[in-house]
Amino acid sequence: VEHREREILLSCSGVIVLSIIEGQLFHRGILIEEFFEKLHEITTREDMTLSYDDLNKYLALHSVYVDPFSVRDIFDLWGEEDDLVKIENLVKHMNSSFHFIGPQGSPWKKYISPAHQIIMYHNVVNNQKILEYQMRANMMKTIVRDNIKSSYLLKARRSIIKEKNQELRNLIEVHAARTLQSAWKARKQRLRLSWLVSRHKLKERRMAKIEDA
Protein backbone atom coordinates (compact mmCIF):
# COMPACT_ATOMS: atom_id res chain seq x y z
CA VAL A 1 0.00 0.00 0.00
CA GLU A 2 2.81 2.42 0.93
CA HIS A 3 4.61 1.71 -2.35
CA ARG A 4 1.43 2.49 -4.29
CA GLU A 5 0.89 5.65 -2.24
CA ARG A 6 4.48 6.69 -2.95
CA GLU A 7 3.96 6.30 -6.71
CA ILE A 8 0.78 8.37 -6.58
CA LEU A 9 2.29 11.17 -4.49
CA LEU A 10 5.49 11.38 -6.54
CA SER A 11 3.38 12.36 -9.53
CA CYS A 12 0.66 14.34 -7.71
CA SER A 13 0.96 17.95 -8.89
CA GLY A 14 -0.74 19.34 -5.78
CA VAL A 15 1.62 17.58 -3.36
CA ILE A 16 4.63 18.52 -5.48
CA VAL A 17 3.78 22.23 -5.53
CA LEU A 18 3.16 22.21 -1.75
CA SER A 19 6.60 20.70 -1.26
CA ILE A 20 8.18 23.32 -3.53
CA ILE A 21 6.42 26.09 -1.58
CA GLU A 22 7.71 24.65 1.71
CA GLY A 23 11.30 24.53 0.42
CA GLN A 24 11.23 28.14 -0.75
CA LEU A 25 9.58 29.37 2.44
CA PHE A 26 12.19 27.61 4.57
CA HIS A 27 14.96 29.27 2.52
CA ARG A 28 13.34 32.61 3.42
CA GLY A 29 13.32 31.75 7.12
CA ILE A 30 9.67 30.71 7.40
CA LEU A 31 8.78 27.33 8.89
CA ILE A 32 5.80 25.54 7.42
CA GLU A 33 4.13 25.66 10.86
CA GLU A 34 4.34 29.46 10.74
CA PHE A 35 3.00 29.39 7.18
CA PHE A 36 -0.14 27.52 8.20
CA GLU A 37 -0.60 29.71 11.28
CA LYS A 38 -0.53 32.75 9.00
CA LEU A 39 -3.06 31.17 6.63
CA HIS A 40 -5.41 30.68 9.59
CA GLU A 41 -4.96 34.36 10.43
CA ILE A 42 -5.59 35.75 6.95
CA THR A 43 -8.71 33.74 6.16
CA THR A 44 -11.93 35.46 7.15
CA ARG A 45 -14.01 32.32 6.83
CA GLU A 46 -15.26 30.40 9.85
CA ASP A 47 -14.70 27.02 8.15
CA MET A 48 -10.96 27.84 7.77
CA THR A 49 -10.97 27.65 3.98
CA LEU A 50 -8.64 29.48 1.63
CA SER A 51 -9.17 30.96 -1.80
CA TYR A 52 -6.80 30.82 -4.77
CA ASP A 53 -6.22 34.58 -4.50
CA ASP A 54 -5.52 34.38 -0.75
CA LEU A 55 -2.76 31.82 -1.30
CA ASN A 56 -1.22 33.61 -4.27
CA LYS A 57 -1.10 36.92 -2.40
CA TYR A 58 0.71 35.32 0.53
CA LEU A 59 3.23 33.61 -1.74
CA ALA A 60 3.88 36.83 -3.65
CA LEU A 61 4.31 38.72 -0.39
CA HIS A 62 7.14 36.38 0.61
CA SER A 63 8.68 36.15 -2.88
CA VAL A 64 7.80 32.49 -3.36
CA TYR A 65 7.90 31.84 -7.09
CA VAL A 66 5.61 29.02 -8.15
CA ASP A 67 3.88 28.51 -11.47
CA PRO A 68 0.30 29.86 -11.02
CA PHE A 69 -1.03 26.86 -12.96
CA SER A 70 0.64 24.57 -10.41
CA VAL A 71 -1.00 26.48 -7.55
CA ARG A 72 -4.25 26.11 -9.47
CA ASP A 73 -3.77 22.31 -9.25
CA ILE A 74 -4.13 22.49 -5.46
CA PHE A 75 -7.64 23.84 -5.81
CA ASP A 76 -8.57 21.58 -8.73
CA LEU A 77 -7.54 18.52 -6.70
CA TRP A 78 -8.81 19.38 -3.21
CA GLY A 79 -11.07 22.39 -3.70
CA GLU A 80 -14.61 22.32 -2.42
CA GLU A 81 -17.59 24.57 -3.03
CA ASP A 82 -16.90 28.11 -4.26
CA ASP A 83 -13.37 27.07 -5.29
CA LEU A 84 -12.07 27.03 -1.72
CA VAL A 85 -9.69 24.58 -0.06
CA LYS A 86 -9.59 23.67 3.62
CA ILE A 87 -6.33 24.55 5.34
CA GLU A 88 -6.44 21.24 7.22
CA ASN A 89 -6.29 19.44 3.84
CA LEU A 90 -3.18 21.42 2.90
CA VAL A 91 -1.59 20.42 6.22
CA LYS A 92 -2.38 16.74 5.61
CA HIS A 93 -0.96 16.70 2.09
CA MET A 94 2.08 18.74 3.14
CA ASN A 95 2.89 16.14 5.79
CA SER A 96 2.64 13.44 3.12
CA SER A 97 5.15 15.33 1.00
CA PHE A 98 7.73 15.13 3.81
CA HIS A 99 7.64 11.33 3.62
CA PHE A 100 7.89 10.96 -0.14
CA ILE A 101 8.91 14.21 -1.90
CA GLY A 102 11.53 15.57 0.48
CA PRO A 103 12.09 16.18 4.22
CA GLN A 104 11.00 19.45 5.78
CA GLY A 105 13.53 22.21 5.27
CA SER A 106 15.39 20.45 2.48
CA PRO A 107 15.93 22.43 -0.73
CA TRP A 108 15.87 19.14 -2.65
CA LYS A 109 12.54 17.66 -3.72
CA LYS A 110 12.21 14.36 -5.55
CA TYR A 111 9.25 13.70 -7.81
CA ILE A 112 8.27 12.38 -11.22
CA SER A 113 8.99 14.98 -13.89
CA PRO A 114 5.77 15.69 -15.82
CA ALA A 115 7.80 16.28 -18.99
CA HIS A 116 10.06 13.20 -18.80
CA GLN A 117 7.92 10.82 -16.68
CA ILE A 118 10.94 9.73 -14.64
CA ILE A 119 12.25 10.63 -11.18
CA MET A 120 13.78 14.09 -10.98
CA TYR A 121 15.72 15.76 -8.15
CA HIS A 122 14.85 19.44 -7.96
CA ASN A 123 16.64 22.07 -5.88
CA VAL A 124 13.78 24.54 -5.36
CA VAL A 125 16.15 27.29 -4.18
CA ASN A 126 18.48 27.52 -7.19
CA ASN A 127 16.17 25.59 -9.57
CA GLN A 128 18.79 22.93 -10.36
CA LYS A 129 17.15 19.82 -11.79
CA ILE A 130 18.73 16.38 -12.11
CA LEU A 131 16.98 13.51 -13.84
CA GLU A 132 17.45 10.09 -12.28
CA TYR A 133 19.67 8.77 -15.08
CA GLN A 134 21.89 11.87 -14.72
CA MET A 135 22.53 11.28 -11.02
CA ARG A 136 26.16 10.77 -10.00
CA ALA A 137 27.74 9.87 -6.66
CA ASN A 138 29.06 13.39 -6.06
CA MET A 139 25.60 14.86 -6.75
CA MET A 140 23.99 12.43 -4.33
CA LYS A 141 26.57 13.38 -1.69
CA THR A 142 25.63 17.04 -2.20
CA ILE A 143 21.94 16.25 -1.71
CA VAL A 144 22.65 14.22 1.45
CA ARG A 145 24.89 16.99 2.81
CA ASP A 146 22.24 19.65 2.10
CA ASN A 147 19.57 17.52 3.79
CA ILE A 148 21.72 17.13 6.91
CA LYS A 149 22.42 20.88 7.03
CA SER A 150 18.73 21.72 6.62
CA SER A 151 17.85 19.23 9.37
CA TYR A 152 20.16 20.99 11.85
CA LEU A 153 18.88 24.37 10.72
CA LEU A 154 15.27 23.23 11.19
CA LYS A 155 16.00 22.17 14.78
CA ALA A 156 17.76 25.48 15.48
CA ARG A 157 14.88 27.55 14.11
CA ARG A 158 12.32 25.58 16.08
CA SER A 159 14.40 26.10 19.22
CA ILE A 160 14.54 29.85 18.60
CA ILE A 161 10.77 30.01 18.04
CA LYS A 162 10.18 28.02 21.23
CA GLU A 163 12.37 30.45 23.20
CA LYS A 164 10.60 33.45 21.67
CA ASN A 165 7.20 31.97 22.47
CA GLN A 166 8.30 31.32 26.06
CA GLU A 167 9.60 34.88 26.32
CA LEU A 168 6.30 36.18 24.95
CA ARG A 169 4.34 34.08 27.44
CA ASN A 170 6.50 35.46 30.26
CA LEU A 171 5.85 39.03 29.11
CA ILE A 172 2.11 38.34 28.93
CA GLU A 173 2.13 36.85 32.44
CA VAL A 174 4.06 39.84 33.82
CA HIS A 175 1.67 42.24 32.08
CA ALA A 176 -1.35 40.33 33.39
CA ALA A 177 0.07 40.37 36.94
CA ARG A 178 0.71 44.11 36.74
CA THR A 179 -2.76 44.71 35.33
CA LEU A 180 -4.34 42.74 38.17
CA GLN A 181 -2.20 44.59 40.70
CA SER A 182 -3.21 47.95 39.22
CA ALA A 183 -6.86 46.90 39.19
CA TRP A 184 -6.63 45.84 42.85
CA LYS A 185 -5.00 49.14 43.81
CA ALA A 186 -7.68 51.05 41.92
CA ARG A 187 -10.39 49.03 43.68
CA LYS A 188 -8.85 49.71 47.08
CA GLN A 189 -8.72 53.41 46.22
CA ARG A 190 -12.38 53.41 45.17
CA LEU A 191 -13.35 51.62 48.38
CA ARG A 192 -11.41 54.13 50.45
CA LEU A 193 -13.01 57.07 48.64
CA SER A 194 -16.44 55.48 49.08
CA TRP A 195 -15.76 55.03 52.80
CA LEU A 196 -14.62 58.67 53.14
CA VAL A 197 -17.74 59.90 51.29
CA SER A 198 -20.01 57.76 53.50
CA ARG A 199 -18.22 58.99 56.62
CA HIS A 200 -18.61 62.60 55.49
CA LYS A 201 -22.33 62.14 54.79
CA LEU A 202 -22.84 60.50 58.19
CA LYS A 203 -21.07 63.41 59.83
CA GLU A 204 -23.32 65.86 57.95
CA ARG A 205 -26.46 64.01 59.09
CA ARG A 206 -25.30 64.07 62.70
CA MET A 207 -24.57 67.80 62.50
CA ALA A 208 -28.01 68.37 60.97
CA LYS A 209 -29.69 66.48 63.86
CA ILE A 210 -27.75 68.55 66.42
CA GLU A 211 -28.81 71.78 64.71
CA ASP A 212 -32.44 70.63 64.58
CA ALA A 213 -32.37 69.83 68.28
Side-chain angles (χ1 to χ4, degrees):
V1 176
E2 184 172 318
H3 179 72
R4 178 59 181 158
E5 182 184 6
R6 175 178 177 274
E7 288 184 344
I8 292 172
L9 292 177
L10 285 176
S11 59
C12 178
S13 56
V15 174
I16 292 169
V17 73
L18 282 176
S19 186
I20 292 172
I21 287 171
E22 184 276 327
Q24 290 196 32
L25 285 172
F26 187 83
H27 179 65
R28 286 161 178 75
I30 303 170
L31 297 185
I32 201 62
E33 300 93 314
E34 298 174 296
F35 169 66
F36 286 125
E37 284 178 10
K38 192 62 180 179
L39 292 186
H40 278 99
E41 290 175 10
I42 65 177
T43 184
T44 56
R45 303 175 188 86
E46 292 183 0
D47 58 356
M48 290 294 111
T49 54
L50 199 69
S51 72
Y52 174 76
D53 289 337
D54 289 337
L55 183 55
N56 270 322
K57 285 177 183 176
Y58 181 88
L59 297 178
L61 179 65
H62 294 283
S63 302
V64 174
Y65 303 106
V66 184
D67 180 6
F69 291 104
S70 297
V71 177
R72 180 76 257 169
D73 287 342
I74 293 174
F75 292 84
D76 290 342
L77 286 168
W78 308 311
E80 301 186 355
E81 293 181 11
D82 300 320
D83 201 28
L84 301 172
V85 64
K86 287 186 177 180
I87 297 175
E88 64 182 63
N89 282 341
L90 298 183
V91 174
K92 180 180 72 174
H93 292 296
M94 182 68 80
N95 288 335
S96 296
S97 79
F98 295 150
H99 293 291
F100 301 102
I101 307 294
Q104 183 175 354
S106 173
W108 291 96
K109 308 302 178 184
K110 179 182 71 174
Y111 54 88
I112 295 176
S113 167
H116 302 87
Q117 289 301 303
I118 59 174
I119 292 290
M120 180 174 71
Y121 296 82
H122 180 193
N123 186 313
V124 300
V125 174
N126 62 22
N127 206 33
Q128 181 182 4
K129 296 178 180 179
I130 306 170
L131 295 173
E132 192 172 37
Y133 70 85
Q134 298 171 325
M135 182 59 67
R136 300 292 181 269
N138 62 325
M139 296 176 182
M140 185 56 71
K141 285 181 182 178
T142 297
I143 292 174
V144 172
R145 184 189 66 225
D146 288 347
N147 284 347
I148 292 172
K149 285 170 60 179
S150 63
S151 175
Y152 281 115
L153 188 55
L154 175 62
K155 291 178 182 178
R157 286 182 177 170
R158 281 178 169 164
S159 178
I160 290 171
I161 290 174
K162 185 178 180 180
E163 290 175 4
K164 284 184 177 179
N165 288 340
Q166 184 59 52
E167 184 178 343
L168 179 61
R169 282 194 292 270
N170 291 341
L171 288 172
I172 292 173
E173 288 174 2
V174 169
H175 177 71
R178 288 176 178 173
T179 301
L180 286 172
Q181 189 177 35
S182 297
W184 173 244
K185 286 182 178 179
R187 184 171 182 273
K188 284 179 67 177
Q189 184 67 17
R190 287 196 300 272
L191 289 172
R192 177 172 172 77
L193 288 173
S194 177
W195 178 77
L196 289 173
V197 170
S198 299
R199 185 179 177 186
H200 179 71
K201 287 181 178 180
L202 179 61
K203 186 176 180 180
E204 285 183 337
R205 286 198 295 270
R206 286 176 178 174
M207 290 299 294
K209 284 182 180 180
I210 292 172
E211 289 176 1
D212 291 339

